[in-house]
Amino acid sequence: MIEYRTPAEIEQMRPAGQFVASVLTALRKHADVGVNLLELDELAHQMIKDRGATSCYIDYHPSFGASPFGKVLCTSVNDAVLHGLPHDYQLADGDLLSVDFAAEVDGWVADSALSVVIGTPRPQDLKLIETTEVALAAGIEAARAGNKLGDISYAIAQIATKAGYKINTDFGGHGVGRTMHGDPHVPNNGRRGRGLPLKPGLVIAIEPWFLETTDKIYTDQDGWTLRSQDGSRGSHSEHTIAITADGPIILTQRDA
């Protein structure tokens, strides 16, 4: 069921968005060569505890997950692009790290993701990250009352296609509110002018994710981490946004 939020409810969602943004900002600063993925997860866990927030991931167990997730972050490295289960791995020079984080504050949820290069970047990784960020911005710009859901998907796909990337539509954006995942599903490819009419009060996570040379993925033996079928690297960018009569509001906007 698609739910629409009042202006007052959207204001009530801001603290969740600000908290999620602050955690990702802290993680981006902390991630470096030699840092363990479990250390990043522990940092986020401590920030959740200090804020009195609730993790959306730790008990999460959808049909596609092998077991309850058990961690508070998704940390996807190199050929992993989504749902990366934190494990005992020290980040190496040149790694491409994607971090996805969602939390509940005062009964409201926000969800966001970013990708960074650890240490010395490869030009192709920088291009991949920039493309997901530009696609995210294009999707947000299309998230305006009077447009259709397909306009968001189309805007994202145009950026990916121009950059030479294929698009997997198995996973994408989604409604956000009292829970992390709700209707509508927001695919990263679609037809302009088609689909759900966008109205003020709709709150969604828009999340383009692209792989360098394939759109095929498989699930790692950990039962969660999604990896590219050909070993190429992936990048993931995401914001929770609210559609209003005056345009989209980015609830998870980061300062840096």
Side-chain angles (χ1 to χ4, degrees), residues 197-230:
L198 301 180
K199 300 177 182 178
L202 182 66
V203 180
I204 53 176
I206 299 175
E207 51 179 314
W209 60 277
F210 307 137
L211 296 164
E212 190 175 8
T213 58
T214 185
D215 59 358
K216 307 299 182 183
I217 55 176
Y218 71 95
T219 304
D220 188 270
Q221 290 182 355
D222 64 17
W224 275 101
T225 304
L226 297 179
R227 298 185 179 276
S228 67
Q229 197 170 84
D230 66 358

Side-chain angles (χ1 to χ4, degrees), residues 56-131:
C56 292
Y57 291 169
I58 199 161
D59 296 322
Y60 187 51
H61 190 189
S63 59
F64 57 79
S67 61
F69 192 71
K71 304 295 182 184
V72 301
L73 290 179
C74 291
T75 52
S76 304
V77 181
N78 296 335
D79 64 315
V81 67
L82 295 175
H83 308 162
L85 185 64
H87 59 286
D88 185 12
Y89 174 79
Q90 289 187 333
L91 292 167
D93 186 50
D95 277 348
L96 198 169
L97 170 68
S98 298
V99 181
D100 194 353
F101 178 66
E104 177 187 320
V105 175
D106 300 328
W108 295 103
V109 170
D111 190 3
S112 187
L114 57 78
S115 294
V116 296
V117 175
I118 305 302
T120 309
R122 303 190 315 167
Q124 57 266 47
D125 291 343
L126 295 179
K127 176 191 173 186
L128 185 60
I129 292 171
E130 180 183 16
T131 302

Side-chain angles (χ1 to χ4, degrees), residues 19 32 62 68 109 187 254:
F19 172 66
D32 203 351
V109 170
R254 296 182 296 274

Side-chain angles (χ1 to χ4, degrees), residues 6-36:
T6 66
E9 287 176 322
I10 291 173
E11 287 301 307
Q12 291 168 13
M13 296 184 75
R14 285 186 184 273
Q18 291 165 356
F19 172 66
V20 167
S22 71
V23 172
L24 286 176
T25 296
L27 293 168
R28 168 180 263 169
K29 292 178 179 178
H30 193 77
D32 203 351
V33 175
V35 172
N36 198 295

